Amino acid sequence: MKATRIMALAASLATLTAAPAAADTKLTLMVFQGMQNLPLLAARSTGAFTRRGLDVDIRIAPNSKELRDGLAEGRYQIVHTAVDNGVAMKDVAKIDVVAVIGGDNSFNHFYVQPDIARIPDLKGKTVLVDALDTAYAFQVYEVLKRNGLAKGDYTPKPVGATFKRLEAMEAEKDDKASTLNPPFSLRADKAGLKDMGAITGMIGPYQATAGMVLRSWAEANRETLTLYLQAYIEGLRWSLDPRNKEEATRLLAEGLKLPPEVAARTYALATDPKSGLTKDAAFDMEGFRNVLKLRTDWTGQPTAAPETYLDLSYYQKALGQ
């Protein structure tokens, strides 16, 4: 028995040293800071990427423009952001981008300064958005419209990513409202900003974060993309498993630089079965139709059929379908 084990070990070592190990495939991602990145943090920490031969560099986006430009120019191979950014790239910039996986409904709540009693009180005020013409800006416009305010009744001000909008509202009391999501919404609560409610409760289902790539890159890198999606899904499943609560909370605390109690509250929101991270990052088609409707309503430009902006075949292969 002992000799058999020694021979097996020798054979294994011979296999490992017979040829140099293949270099890992390098991928550069861009994402916005937030709890929606927990699957990525988990995939990196648990080795889901490295087991598949992927060397993943995760960059934090300062704003939508840099994320979109970087994807179009090939500086980032994969981005995770509001899917409306991909629609804008395809319809406006004529860059053939496709969404390949879902993620969440944005977790956005509508926050205002303490002196704002009702949303209609924002008439004549300044509201903050990432960029003027995409994604969560349309959420803001729609919420205001449903509360009786037309475009022109308020001043939208682009300041960039969520953390920048929060910092602006904390520093400048004349910046009266914006959408915020965790963990920044938790900071907003502590700062005394007023939570007017969940965006999805105001405008309906919404497909927010999605993984997006250039269609040409996906076609040229089918195996790499499939492996990446497998690792992402593995990281998500690990994150949602209650047995990993303590370690996942630590990843959020370290990755987002959060105090332990804020990280714990953030993890609870991320894993909420009703409003947290979507199981297996499935793509919400009903929510996406609402995204397209909002874009049409607020730009005046028609969008194509939903399937035009998607290629979920890589996702289905990653799931083994």
Side-chain angles (χ1 to χ4, degrees), residues 276-307:
L277 294 165
T278 306
K279 181 181 177 181
D280 287 346
F283 197 86
D284 179 3
M285 286 300 295
E286 182 182 3
F288 186 46
R289 291 187 183 93
N290 197 20
V291 171
L292 296 178
K293 181 180 185 302
L294 288 175
R295 170 159 282 277
T296 296
D297 289 348
W298 289 106
T299 65
Q301 300 299 316
T303 56
E307 296 76 13

Side-chain angles (χ1 to χ4, degrees), residues 6-303:
I6 292 173
M7 290 175 64
L9 178 59
S12 176
L13 289 172
T15 300
L16 289 171
T17 58
D24 286 346
T25 301
K26 295 185 180 297
L27 292 173
T28 303
L29 279 55
M30 179 156 274
V31 300
F32 281 97
Q33 187 75 292
M35 75 178 186
Q36 70 275 10
N37 297 325
L38 180 56
L40 292 171
L41 299 175
R44 183 171 61 186
S45 176
T46 63
F49 288 134
T50 56
R51 284 193 298 275
R52 292 170 173 83
L54 302 177
D55 179 4
V56 177
D57 178 17
I58 303 172
R59 309 278 181 90
I60 300 300
N63 52 57
S64 293
K65 184 178 186 304
E66 169 58 22
L67 180 142
R68 292 187 304 229
D69 290 349
L71 180 61
E73 295 163 9
R75 287 183 277 120
Y76 317 121
Q77 289 76 55
I78 303 170
V79 300
H80 289 265
T81 184
V83 69
D84 182 79
N85 277 309
V87 176
M89 289 182 70
K90 189 171 181 65
D91 286 359
V92 180
K94 307 304 179 184
I95 306 293
D96 196 5
V97 172
V98 288
V100 294
I101 191 170
D104 58 67
N105 68 7
S106 82
F107 312 112
N108 273 338
H109 281 225
F110 195 79
Y111 275 81
V112 299
Q113 294 287 0
D115 62 315
I116 299 297
R118 304 175 309 122
I119 293 177
D121 294 342
L122 291 168
K123 185 171 184 178
K125 308 299 185 184
T126 296
V127 299
L128 305 185
V129 295
D130 171 17
L132 292 173
D133 60 351
T134 187
Y136 303 157
F138 297 146
Q139 289 185 346
V140 170
Y141 305 155
E142 185 67 16
V143 167
L144 295 176
K145 174 186 174 183
R146 294 186 183 205
N147 283 272
L149 299 182
K151 206 80 175 285
D153 286 339
Y154 53 89
T155 302
K157 177 181 173 183
V159 297
T162 306
F163 73 91
K164 293 186 176 182
R165 300 198 300 276
L166 173 59
E167 289 174 353
M169 289 184 71
E170 289 177 318
E172 178 52 71
K173 301 309 178 185
D174 285 338
D175 291 337
K176 293 298 185 182
S178 189
T179 56
L180 300 173
N181 54 24
F184 309 105
S185 54
L186 301 180
R187 278 179 47 194
D189 292 335
K190 291 188 69 173
L193 297 177
K194 189 182 299 184
D195 182 359
M196 305 301 282
I199 290 293
T200 53
M202 299 178 183
I203 68 172
Y206 191 88
Q207 170 58 55
T209 304
M212 290 179 284
V213 299
L214 296 178
R215 191 188 300 271
S216 58
W217 182 88
E219 292 173 348
N221 296 273
R222 290 178 178 275
E223 182 178 0
T224 295
L225 179 54
T226 301
L227 290 171
Y228 171 82
L229 295 175
Q230 287 175 347
Y232 185 96
I233 293 166
E234 181 180 321
L236 175 57
R237 289 176 176 176
W238 181 92
S239 300
L240 298 179
D241 187 334
R243 294 173 297 181
N244 302 318
K245 176 180 178 179
E246 183 176 344
E247 178 64 12
T249 301
R250 183 188 67 78
L251 289 177
L252 284 171
E254 293 181 356
L256 302 181
K257 297 179 174 57
L258 303 175
E261 68 277 9
V262 176
R265 291 177 63 194
T266 301
Y267 179 78
L269 292 169
T271 57
D272 185 295
K274 292 184 178 180
S275 58
L277 294 165
T278 306
K279 181 181 177 181
D280 287 346
F283 197 86
D284 179 3
M285 286 300 295
E286 182 182 3
F288 186 46
R289 291 187 183 93
N290 197 20
V291 171
L292 296 178
K293 181 180 185 302
L294 288 175
R295 170 159 282 277
T296 296
D297 289 348
W298 289 106
T299 65
Q301 300 299 316
T303 56

